[in-house]
Amino acid sequence: MGLRWAVSPTDRSVMREEFRADLAQVSRTLVMMAEAVQVAMRRATEALLKADQTEAEQVTDRDAEIDALYRIVEDKVYDVVARQAPVASDLRVVLTALHIAGDMERMGDLADHVAKSVLRRHPAPVIAPELTGVLERMGEVADLLASKIVTALNNLDAVAAAQLERDDDAMDDLHRRLLKTIMSPDWQHGVESAVDTALLGRFYERYADHAVNVGRHVVFLVTGENAA
Amino acid sequence: MGLRWAVSPTDRSVMREEFRADLAQVSRTLVMMAEAVQVAMRRATEALLKADQTEAEQVTDRDAEIDALYRIVEDKVYDVVARQAPVASDLRVVLTALHIAGDMERMGDLADHVAKSVLRRHPAPVIAPELTGVLERMGEVADLLASKIVTALNNLDAVAAAQLERDDDAMDDLHRRLLKTIMSPDWQHGVESAVDTALLGRFYERYADHAVNVGRHVVFLVTGENAA
């Protein structure tokens, strides 16, 4: 595999090869985590659009798995650092995996928040009919962002990672549209529904923000330099 | 100073003493950061209660300082780890400083969100008169939590740090009261105000959640063991 983290090429020893193998293992866990948070938000959105209790419960049940993956990344990173004692620049790159895992853990939490909001109102739907389209689009953008994270981590592709920023703009636009709708004088669904919807909007927006953070960290992981 | 991080007592060499001095320096920066996020939320709450634009602007202007302190902690920790190559258990304790700084950076962001909400509605107040008391209390609980973080970090006091969890319950109660008020049929202030208030409530609640996380990490820093 020609893929490389941005580790410094100072030493070609056996330890160096071990170090690379360790990093590849960390990457694989990060990919698993990215796939899990993608599935979580995809299912949460489906549960939301269909007011589907079973689907929502699956999301909340499986949030612990994402948290467990976070711990695995943390343990592996600590183990690598302790065994390999990397030089300062390598260390910084390795520890970036913790930031990535931390952001993804939050993305999992946000999918869980969406699912809990569905469960709280069930069997009533959380979202007003005129907002189904906007929420569906928000779910699609979230899914796109997560799938780009999976690709960027799988291929250690800094270019793909840097693109996440642009897709986040689409989420911001949708979020603005959502807020405009619930705050318009035509809103017919009362305060409770408006508040629930505003919070849901925030969950998707924060999910996208964390995805952008992951993108920036992946750029650093691959290039050793911060994204502009 | 008799204060100690939970570093393993295996080695009494000069390097060991350097290591302790490095950690003390990291602690000092963490204390500065805790003080900064305490002041930020205190001022944001004042700006909120008085619809005070100048105060709110001070909070948003100074958020960059908190972010800068985060970078300083990060740089110091990376430097310590790279120079001292601590053993696995020590490493885990040192890296806990990053978690603490990360949570506090988010606390600063949340104070910033409160201030921005004030600026968005200025000169109108964001909160309805009947909710002034609840928001004032939420501000007090936030302030108490932050001051306990300052004390716990200053004295590396695991007992004080563990107490944060209990104070968070008070925040949750206040948050529930706030949501109940805006969702009651008596609510007279329309959807926009309800949505703003619900988001504000969430900012204080999240601030408290991050404070509890900091408390847990401080326990680990001092004892080397996770809080129950």
Side-chain angles (χ1 to χ4, degrees), chain B residues 81-112:
Chain B
V81 174
R83 276 192 297 106
Q84 307 269 356
V87 299
S89 61
D90 287 356
L91 176 71
R92 196 169 277 268
V93 169
V94 178
L95 292 181
T96 299
L98 293 185
H99 287 292
I100 294 174
D103 277 307
M104 292 199 293
E105 193 258 329
R106 278 299 298 153
M107 290 168 77
D109 285 346
L110 290 159
D112 181 64

Side-chain angles (χ1 to χ4, degrees), chain A residues 70-71 74-75 77-79 81-82 85-88 91-92 95-96 98-99 106 110 113 121 179 182-183 187 190-196 198-199 202-203 206 210, chain B residues 70-71 74-75 77-79 81-82 85-88 91-92 95-96 98-99 106 110 113 121 179 182-183 187 190-196 198-199 202-203 206 210:
Chain A
Y70 175 80
R71 293 277 155 221
E74 200 174 51
D75 286 347
V77 166
Y78 288 2
D79 178 59
V81 174
V87 298
L91 176 71
R92 196 168 278 268
L95 292 180
T96 299
L98 293 185
H99 287 293
R106 279 298 298 154
L110 290 160
H113 290 350
R121 298 284 168 242
L179 288 178
I182 59 184
M183 292 191 180
W187 181 254
V191 168
E192 190 162 348
S193 167
V195 167
D196 278 350
L199 288 177
R202 198 170 157 78
F203 299 151
R206 295 290 304 148
H210 284 288
Chain B
Y70 175 79
R71 292 277 155 218
E74 200 174 50
D75 285 348
V77 165
Y78 289 2
D79 178 59
V81 174
V87 299
L91 176 71
R92 196 169 277 268
L95 292 181
T96 299
L98 293 185
H99 287 292
R106 278 299 298 153
L110 290 159
H113 291 349
R121 296 286 168 241
L179 288 178
I182 58 183
M183 292 191 180
W187 182 255
V191 168
E192 190 162 349
S193 167
V195 167
D196 278 350
L199 288 177
R202 199 170 157 78
F203 298 152
R206 295 290 304 147
H210 285 288

Side-chain angles (χ1 to χ4, degrees), chain A:
Chain A
M1 183 161 89
L3 305 172
R4 287 284 182 262
W5 291 31
V7 294
S8 62
T10 44
D11 186 351
R12 301 241 152 256
S13 66
V14 174
M15 189 155 181
R16 202 73 196 156
E17 278 317 301
E18 255 180 53
F19 186 44
R20 294 204 186 277
D22 285 336
L23 297 183
Q25 217 184 38
V26 172
S27 285
R28 280 193 292 275
T29 313
L30 289 175
V31 170
M32 281 174 66
M33 213 177 157
E35 286 167 347
V37 302
Q38 176 176 25
V39 170
M41 195 50 129
R42 193 189 293 156
R43 290 187 136 183
T45 304
E46 256 198 49
L48 179 67
L49 295 172
K50 297 180 183 160
D52 182 336
Q53 184 179 12
T54 314
E55 194 79 13
E57 280 168 354
Q58 299 238 13
V59 176
T60 60
D61 286 350
R62 297 186 57 178
D63 188 46
E65 287 175 28
I66 294 171
D67 296 346
L69 284 169
Y70 175 80
R71 293 277 155 221
I72 293 173
V73 172
E74 200 174 51
D75 286 347
K76 279 191 185 167
V77 166
Y78 288 2
D79 178 59
V80 172
V81 174
R83 276 192 297 106
Q84 307 269 356
V87 298
S89 61
D90 286 356
L91 176 71
R92 196 168 278 268
V93 168
V94 177
L95 292 180
T96 299
L98 293 185
H99 287 293
I100 294 174
D103 277 306
M104 291 199 293
E105 193 259 329
R106 279 298 298 154
M107 290 168 77
D109 285 346
L110 290 160
D112 181 64
H113 290 350
V114 171
K116 287 217 173 88
S117 155
V118 174
L119 294 175
R120 210 155 35 231
R121 298 284 168 242
H122 189 81
V126 188
I127 44 171
E130 67 263 40
L131 280 173
T132 309
V134 176
L135 260 314
E136 199 170 357
R137 278 291 300 138
M138 289 178 101
E140 284 165 8
V141 175
D143 198 60
L144 180 71
L145 288 165
S147 77
K148 285 196 177 170
I149 291 177
V150 173
T151 307
L153 282 171
N154 240 328
N155 307 325
L156 292 180
D157 179 346
V159 178
Q163 279 182 358
L164 284 152
E165 201 115 15
R166 233 174 315 142
D167 297 317
D168 180 43
D169 293 343
M171 187 65 98
D172 289 342
D173 285 344
L174 289 162
H175 190 219
R176 265 190 292 275
R177 248 170 75 191
L178 178 137
L179 288 178
K180 211 173 138 190
T181 305
I182 59 184
M183 292 191 180
S184 99
D186 303 335
W187 181 254
Q188 306 282 344
H189 310 281
V191 168
E192 190 162 348
S193 167
V195 167
D196 278 350
T197 309
L199 288 177
L200 276 174
R202 198 170 157 78
F203 299 151
Y204 282 92
E205 193 215 9
R206 295 290 304 148
Y207 186 94
D209 286 347
H210 284 288
V212 171
N213 282 348
V214 171
R216 287 197 192 121
H217 293 311
V218 173
V219 170
F220 185 74
L221 200 75
V222 179
T223 66
E225 281 164 33
N226 285 314

